[in-house]
Structure formats: C-alpha cells, structure tokens
C-alpha cells in the first residue's frame, strides 16, 4: 500500500475491488512561543566605564537617567554611533542588541516570526528587539534614515506606546523599565543629501519621538589619537596628522569623500604591519581623482 496526501491505495488486478481510506481532517497547527533566554538579564551585572569612552557617552547617559529612553544619534559614517550605543549598554550593565534597518529589513526582523520546526509544529521565534523590549537592555535601530517607511511606523509605535503587539501571535508585550532604544542616522531626517544619497525623509511622527533626545556626534579626535597611538606609537601621530589634514581638505572643499575613524584604525594597523604613510594614503585615495 502507498500513502499519498492522506489517501491509502492498494494495487489491484482488473475486476477486484479497490480499498481505500478517506483522509482525516488535518489538525490546526499548534503555535508555541519560543522565548530564548537573554544573555545578560537587566541589572544582573554592574555597569563599567569603557576604557576608551566616546566623547558623547556622558551626555547620552544623562539623557537616559532623565528618563529620555528613545534617543536619536546623528553623525557621519564611521563616527562611532554603534560604539556609543554599545558603551551605553556597558555603562548601565544591560544587554545590547542591534538591527540595521536597510532595504531588506522587514517587520519579521523587528517583531519575530512563526515558522515550522523539523516535526512540522509551528512556533514563534522571538526577535532580539522584542526580547530586549520585554526583558530590558539597550537596542540600536541602525540606519533609521534608510528604513522602509512602513517598518519604521511599526517601530516608532513601540517607542511611544510603552507596549508592542506581536503581529504573528497577537501577544501584547509591555516595555521593560530598563529598555533603552537608540536610533542611528547619517542625516537629520530631511531626506537624501549630496553625501548620503540613499537616505529617506523621516515622518514627522517618527521625529517627534526624539524631542530633546537627539545627539549629534562627530569624529572624536581624542579617541582617534588613543587608538592610533595604542596601535603604533609615535609614528601613529604622523599618520594622524596626515589623515586629519586630508579630512579637513575634504570638508572645506565639500567633497563626497569620507576620512573617518575606520580609516585611522585601518591605517594604524597597516603602519604596524610595515606600510609607509605614503602607501596608506595611496590606498585610501586610490579611487580619487588627481584634483
């Protein structure tokens, strides 16, 4: 006998009676909630001051302690926005999570999804965002000015309401008192500019979530000096002077080029490996015009 879609058939010769069994009504899929344990429960460990604190860390922590727990960090690429958010979590002794809201991000990345397991049973897989929202922690919504507008509306509703509703299960999740949600952007939400051409204008309701909670970050030269000198000592100072001069020229001439902290970190590593400053500058500007 063979089974096909619930029907049982038996091979028969001509003239014989075929036996079969009618299929049973399929059972409704059972949905179980899967809530992975968070790595660091809120307030389970003491906060610590990072060895290389971001220049805006103290200011952001003041805002958090003033109960401004939805913050928008705006700054150029490579200015340490993600590092700043991570340091906030470390300083408060909280868990940290991050989601880039680039073009492929959708509501399932934000709120989790239902999916079948190996046995066919359906379960809800909780997202890091919902996990931190429920248990407490610092979550960074990165590249917020590149997000799909509809996804952003769902995210900002959770910021304002003090609760969220998981679309796939209907569960209402209350916001934990120790939940801090930070957003990072390269622009102020007015849309694309000459440098960041792939950015969207942010809805007024979204920007309203960050009243008096917007922090502007720039390249932190003190932090950059520490990084470069830790990697390559005195020669790192000469590299810094050259890269900072290049950055100033880019800014004064309004060029669509970036000489950020990442360039300084990479340059210091190459210097330590044996490259000359001229070789490092050549690598950095390899795609630039002579002018």
């Amino acid at each position: 006998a063979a089974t096909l879609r619930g029907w049982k058939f038996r091979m028969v010769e001509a003239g014989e009676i075929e036996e079969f069994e009618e299929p049973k009504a399929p059972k409704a899929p059972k949905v179980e909630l899967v809530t992975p344990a968070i790595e660091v429960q809120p307030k389970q460990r003491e906060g610590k001051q990072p060895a290389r604190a971001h220049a805006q860390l103290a200011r952001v922590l003041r805002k958090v302690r003033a109960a401004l727990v939805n913050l928008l960090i705006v700054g150029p690429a490579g200015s340490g926005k993600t590092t700043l958010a991570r340091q906030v979590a470390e300083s408060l002794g909280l868990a940290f999570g991050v989601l880039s809201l680039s073009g492929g991000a959708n509501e399932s990345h934000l709120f989790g999804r239902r999916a079948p397991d190996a046995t066919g049973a359906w379960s809800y897989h909780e997202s890091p965002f919902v996990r931190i929202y429920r248990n407490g922690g610092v979550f960074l919504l990165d590249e917020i000015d590149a997000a799909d507008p509809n996804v952003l509306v769902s995210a900002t509703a959770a910021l304002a309401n003090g609760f969220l509703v998981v679309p796939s299960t209907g569960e209402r999740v209350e916001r934990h008192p120790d939940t801090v949600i930070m957003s990072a952007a390269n622009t102020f939400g007015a849309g694309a500019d000459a440098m960041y051409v792939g950015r969207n204008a942010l809805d007024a309701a979204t920007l309203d979530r960050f009243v008096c909670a917007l922090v502007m970050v720039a390249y932190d030269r003190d932090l950059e000096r520490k990084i470069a000198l830790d990697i390559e000592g005195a020669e790192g100072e000469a590299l810094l002077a050259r890269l900072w001069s290049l950055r100033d020229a880019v800014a004064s001439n309004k060029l669509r080029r970036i000489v950020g902290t990442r360039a300084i970190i990479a340059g210091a590593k190459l210097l330590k490996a044996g490259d000359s400053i001229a070789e490092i500058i050549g690598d950095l500007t390899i795609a630039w015009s002579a002018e």
Side-chain angles (χ1 to χ4, degrees), residues 209-267:
R209 305 296 191 266
F210 306 109
V211 171
C212 293
L214 190 151
V215 178
M216 178 67 185
V217 300
Y219 297 117
D220 184 344
R221 294 201 172 192
D222 288 338
L223 178 60
E224 290 175 342
R225 176 176 278 110
K226 290 178 183 178
I227 292 171
L229 298 188
D230 284 353
I231 294 176
E232 193 44 33
E235 199 173 356
E237 192 73 57
L239 175 65
L240 277 176
R242 185 69 184 90
L243 291 175
W244 286 345
S245 174
L246 192 60
R247 179 188 292 169
D248 292 341
V250 164
S252 63
N253 289 284
K254 297 181 171 54
L255 303 181
R256 292 181 57 192
R257 302 292 180 184
I258 295 174
V259 184
T261 303
R262 293 189 186 97
I264 290 172
I265 295 172

Side-chain angles (χ1 to χ4, degrees), residues 119-133:
T119 66
W122 286 73
S123 58
Y124 165 61
H125 296 263
E126 189 174 63
S127 68
F129 177 75
V130 173
R131 196 181 317 159
I132 282 182
Y133 196 93

Side-chain angles (χ1 to χ4, degrees), residues 4-245:
L4 179 64
R5 293 184 181 176
W7 290 78
K8 184 177 178 183
F9 298 91
R10 183 172 61 85
M11 296 295 293
V12 296
E13 300 293 337
E16 291 187 13
I17 299 175
E18 181 179 359
E19 296 178 357
F20 64 89
E21 294 180 3
E22 294 185 7
K24 297 179 180 179
K27 294 182 178 179
K30 182 180 179 181
V31 179
E32 297 180 356
L33 296 180
V34 178
T35 306
I38 197 165
E39 290 184 5
V40 183
Q41 293 292 343
K43 304 302 183 185
Q44 262 196 347
R45 67 176 186 183
E46 293 183 2
K48 61 179 181 179
Q49 183 73 9
R52 298 170 178 162
H54 193 284
Q56 291 286 10
L57 178 60
R59 178 167 171 75
V60 171
L61 289 175
R62 286 199 301 271
K63 290 181 179 293
V64 172
R65 293 184 178 114
L68 298 179
V69 289
N70 299 323
L71 297 111
L72 176 59
I73 311 300
V74 179
S79 56
K81 297 184 293 295
T82 302
T83 298
L84 175 58
R86 188 184 297 276
Q87 289 184 355
V88 170
E90 291 176 0
S91 300
L92 298 174
L94 298 175
F96 177 71
V98 60
L99 173 65
S100 176
L101 293 176
S102 55
N106 55 42
E107 287 191 349
S108 66
H109 290 91
L110 195 63
F111 296 117
R113 61 190 179 90
R114 290 197 314 168
D117 60 21
T119 66
W122 286 73
S123 58
Y124 165 61
H125 296 263
E126 189 174 63
S127 68
F129 177 75
V130 173
R131 196 181 317 159
I132 282 182
Y133 196 93
R134 183 196 305 273
N135 297 305
V138 176
F139 197 89
L140 174 64
L141 297 172
D142 201 10
E143 312 289 357
I144 191 174
D145 51 351
D148 179 285
N150 293 317
V151 174
L152 203 53
V153 168
S154 300
T156 53
L159 269 60
N161 297 335
F163 68 90
L164 62 81
V165 177
V166 178
S168 59
T169 65
E171 179 192 10
R172 176 180 168 129
V173 179
E174 299 293 333
R175 180 170 179 162
H176 194 281
D178 292 332
T179 295
V180 178
I181 300 177
M182 301 178 67
S183 300
N186 295 127
T187 66
F188 286 99
D193 58 22
M195 180 68 77
Y196 301 102
V197 298
R199 304 298 158 163
N200 302 322
L202 297 180
D203 187 272
T206 298
L207 292 173
D208 189 56
R209 305 296 191 266
F210 306 109
V211 171
C212 293
L214 190 151
V215 178
M216 178 67 185
V217 300
Y219 297 117
D220 184 344
R221 294 201 172 192
D222 288 338
L223 178 60
E224 290 175 342
R225 176 176 278 110
K226 290 178 183 178
I227 292 171
L229 298 188
D230 284 353
I231 294 176
E232 193 44 33
E235 199 173 356
E237 192 73 57
L239 175 65
L240 277 176
R242 185 69 184 90
L243 291 175
W244 286 345
S245 174

